[in-house]
């Protein structure tokens, strides 16, 4: 009898999606739209960023007129951050989001998420990474434990092993030695 296995799916790109504080109550509705648009939610977490963390996350915007309002807005309540994956994830997510100014999005992209959930040019409801490079950086910021492909090598691999793998192995092996099972198999 032949066992049919589904073809493994390889996600070539990942991007970061954030549901901002003012639309957190629409989380399920937004997630449904994301899934129906062909994305897979690889990881998800709900958190509240401090103003300092927001300043670090949006460091590239530092010095712009809206920066203080942006950090205050993003730290005003909980957010939902998700790692989304699919082919061309960054560009498809940006397309689904629409223009960053929600007022403009309502005119030019009326079915986009920002047109549907945003209220103005600052409170646009959702965040999306601008490029593959920024997606990787932002994912590492929000999900520091996430392994992004390609698998790290060199110093990054050593750092990961020292931070996550070695402590777990040490604790597990120590517990095993203390138990000394009569029949290990």
């Amino acid at each position: 009898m032949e066992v049919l296995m589904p073809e493994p799916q390889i996600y070539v790109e990942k991007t970061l999606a954030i549901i901002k504080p003012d639309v957190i109550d629409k989380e399920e509705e937004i997630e449904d739209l994301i899934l129906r648009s062909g994305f897979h939610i690889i990881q998800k977490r709900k958190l509240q960023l401090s103003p300092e963390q927001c300043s670090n996350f949006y460091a590239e915007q530092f010095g712009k007129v809206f920066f203080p309002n942006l950090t205050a807005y993003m730290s005003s309540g909980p957010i939902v951050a998700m790692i989304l994956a699919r082919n061309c994830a960054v560009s498809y997510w940006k397309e689904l989001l629409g223009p960053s100014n929600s007022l403009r999005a309502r005119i030019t992209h009326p079915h986009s998420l920002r047109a549907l959930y945003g209220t103005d040019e600052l409170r646009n409801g959702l965040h999306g990474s601008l490029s593959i490079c920024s997606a990787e950086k932002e994912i590492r910021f929000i999900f520091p434990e996430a392994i992004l492909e390609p698998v790290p090598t060199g110093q990054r691999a050593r750092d990961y092993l020292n931070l996550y793998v070695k402590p777990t192995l040490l604790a597990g092996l120590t517990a095993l030695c203390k138990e000394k099972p009569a029949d290990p198999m």
Side-chain angles (χ1 to χ4, degrees):
M1 174 181 240
E2 188 179 321
V3 178
L4 296 175
M5 297 291 290
E7 282 291 314
Q9 293 188 1
I10 299 171
Y11 305 114
V12 258
E13 256 180 44
K14 293 178 184 164
T15 191
L16 182 73
I18 295 177
I19 300 174
K20 295 182 179 180
D22 56 331
V23 292
I24 197 96
D25 59 324
K26 304 282 188 191
E27 175 187 350
E28 286 182 31
E29 190 176 312
I30 293 169
E31 279 183 38
D32 184 53
L33 287 168
I34 290 169
L35 294 172
R36 285 191 287 133
S37 297
F39 289 95
H40 293 272
I41 300 172
I42 301 300
Q43 222 171 329
K44 174 179 131 175
R45 74 184 279 211
K46 192 177 220 173
L47 67 155
Q48 182 157 354
L49 298 174
S50 68
E52 246 179 87
Q53 290 171 313
C54 291
S55 294
N56 291 334
F57 185 78
Y58 286 108
E60 292 175 3
Q61 307 295 334
F62 184 77
K64 295 187 178 172
V65 177
F66 61 85
F67 184 76
N69 291 335
L70 176 63
T71 56
Y73 162 51
M74 287 300 292
S75 62
S76 67
I79 62 169
V80 174
M82 296 172 278
I83 301 175
L84 304 181
R86 71 167 283 171
N87 291 331
C88 303
V90 173
S91 60
Y92 280 122
W93 180 238
K94 286 193 317 190
E95 185 180 321
L96 187 60
L97 285 175
S100 60
N101 182 330
S102 297
L103 302 176
R104 187 177 318 126
R106 286 193 188 106
I107 297 165
T108 61
H109 298 77
H111 301 291
S112 69
L113 294 177
R114 286 179 173 152
L116 297 171
Y117 298 103
T119 54
D120 57 38
E121 50 197 72
L122 177 68
R123 296 179 184 274
N124 58 12
L126 296 119
H127 168 84
S129 304
L130 296 174
S131 66
I132 294 171
C133 184
S134 67
E136 186 175 316
K137 187 181 89 172
E138 292 171 357
I139 289 170
R140 284 195 203 305
F141 185 91
I142 301 288
F143 297 93
E145 75 289 348
I147 297 176
L148 299 177
E149 294 173 358
V151 174
T153 58
Q155 187 58 44
R156 283 178 51 208
R158 283 189 290 280
D159 291 345
Y160 182 84
L161 288 172
N162 288 331
L163 190 61
Y164 298 105
V165 177
K166 284 183 180 178
T168 304
L169 275 175
L170 183 62
L173 291 172
T174 302
L176 184 63
C177 287
K178 287 179 182 177
E179 287 293 317
K180 294 182 184 161
D183 182 15
M185 297 299 179

